Amino acid sequence: MLSWAHLRGVALFLIEPGKPNQNAYIESFNGRFRDECLNEHWFTSLHHAKVVIEAWRREYNEERPKKSLGGLTPSAYAKQLVVKHDKVTSDSKPGCY
């Protein structure tokens, strides 16, 4: 992973041991993923794990609204950001007034 990240210019920032509050969002997600998916299934194969985890991921991102995102699902929120970014980008191009 370190080589992959380095080749792509990805900076990795690690959470200090014993300080999970340094990234509460991912800690919250990890707990939810563990409780709702990993603890609920007995995977019989790698393929089975991939199918179940992908179904959970889709439901989490596409069907569950989040208060922190103004009642939107993560995928709807991401689409909204793309639209806003495209509008800002096109509005700021030279020659566009």
Side-chain angles (χ1 to χ4, degrees), residues 3 5 9 22 26-27 58 84-85:
S3 297
Q22 288 179 343
I26 195 62
E27 291 300 317
R58 285 181 185 257
K84 284 181 182 178
H85 179 265

Side-chain angles (χ1 to χ4, degrees), residues 64-75:
R64 293 188 191 181
K66 310 286 187 274
K67 282 185 194 177
S68 63
L69 300 178
L72 296 173
T73 63
S75 61

Side-chain angles (χ1 to χ4, degrees), residues 9-59:
V10 175
L12 300 176
F13 296 97
L14 302 177
I15 296 171
E16 294 176 71
K19 300 204 176 189
N21 59 339
Q22 288 179 343
N23 192 341
Y25 291 110
I26 195 62
E27 291 300 317
S28 175
F29 172 81
N30 286 345
R32 187 166 283 116
F33 178 60
R34 187 174 42 254
D35 291 344
E36 296 176 7
C37 186
L38 299 179
N39 290 345
E40 295 294 319
H41 298 279
W42 184 272
F43 302 115
T44 57
S45 67
L46 182 57
H47 175 72
H48 179 232
K50 287 178 180 181
V51 169
V52 169
I53 291 168
E54 177 62 13
W56 184 88
R57 185 195 66 78
R58 285 181 185 257
E59 188 233 338

Side-chain angles (χ1 to χ4, degrees), residues 60-91:
Y60 182 86
N61 286 320
E62 298 171 9
E63 298 175 21
R64 293 188 191 181
K66 310 286 187 274
K67 282 185 194 177
S68 63
L69 300 178
L72 296 173
T73 63
S75 61
Y77 184 77
K79 287 175 188 171
Q80 186 182 60
L81 289 178
V82 168
V83 169
K84 284 181 182 178
H85 179 265
D86 289 345
K87 182 178 179 345
V88 169
T89 304
S90 65
D91 288 348

